Amino acid sequence: MAEPIGFIKCTEPDCQEVAEVRKAGGKRQSLYTWCPDCGTNQANGEKRQKYLVDNLKASREEVEKGSVSDTEETGAIPTQNAALSVSEDTDNKPKPIPENKPKGSAASPPVLLGALALIAAVVTAIFATRKPTNKHKGQTA
């Protein structure tokens, strides 16, 4: 179970609990919340990740104090270093397309060409090793 990196007011409607913000392990490295009433919310869309980073609090007390005016809150981040490490890990921007490849081009044409060559070789080998049929006994080649 991951340790909380911060706290936030639970985002579920009609829930007044303080949820823990945790960092997913493995390849994902995105943020998720765990609320004692609602459970785990692992939604990892770009807007949600930005919301979690922008509204992350260092302690439960900060969240409870700020819950009176949540709509006016700007959302303090605990420390500059923590904010930088969180934002770097949760960068969900799409990877840029290389300059030399036009949009929509095939990802790996050599693989397709190799597969077609292999299929052609197998079909050729099958026809080359077939025994002639005896339909036309009187004819010679």
Side-chain angles (χ1 to χ4, degrees), residues 6-87:
F7 300 88
I8 195 168
K9 182 182 171 293
C10 182
T11 56
E12 292 299 316
D14 301 326
C15 183
Q16 302 301 317
E17 290 292 324
V18 174
E20 296 177 356
V21 178
R22 300 175 178 178
K23 188 174 179 182
K27 293 180 182 180
R28 285 186 46 200
Q29 297 294 312
S30 58
L31 299 179
Y32 68 96
T33 57
W34 178 82
C35 173
D37 282 346
C38 304
T40 304
N41 184 344
Q42 295 182 345
N44 63 352
E46 187 174 329
K47 287 182 182 179
R48 172 145 172 95
Q49 293 298 307
K50 181 174 177 8
Y51 176 82
L52 292 176
V53 170
D54 291 346
N55 294 290
L56 187 68
K57 305 288 184 190
S59 68
R60 289 182 184 274
E61 292 76 28
E62 283 184 61
V63 176
E64 290 167 353
K65 279 191 247 177
S67 65
V68 175
S69 60
D70 280 338
T71 56
E72 297 173 7
E73 224 173 71
T74 57
I77 297 177
T79 63
Q80 177 107 11
N81 291 338
L84 289 175
S85 67
V86 168
S87 65

Side-chain angles (χ1 to χ4, degrees), residues 62-138:
E62 283 184 61
V63 176
E64 290 167 353
K65 279 191 247 177
S67 65
V68 175
S69 60
D70 280 338
T71 56
E72 297 173 7
E73 224 173 71
T74 57
I77 297 177
T79 63
Q80 177 107 11
N81 291 338
L84 289 175
S85 67
V86 168
S87 65
E88 287 172 2
D89 292 338
T90 60
D91 190 16
N92 291 334
K93 293 179 183 173
K95 294 179 183 176
I97 298 173
E99 298 282 330
N100 60 353
K101 276 190 175 181
K103 238 181 184 179
S105 67
S108 54
V111 172
L112 296 175
L113 291 175
L116 288 174
L118 179 64
I119 291 170
V122 169
V123 169
T124 303
I126 289 171
F127 281 112
T129 58
R130 281 182 48 187
K131 292 182 180 179
T133 60
N134 292 330
K135 287 184 179 178
H136 307 288
K137 290 183 180 180

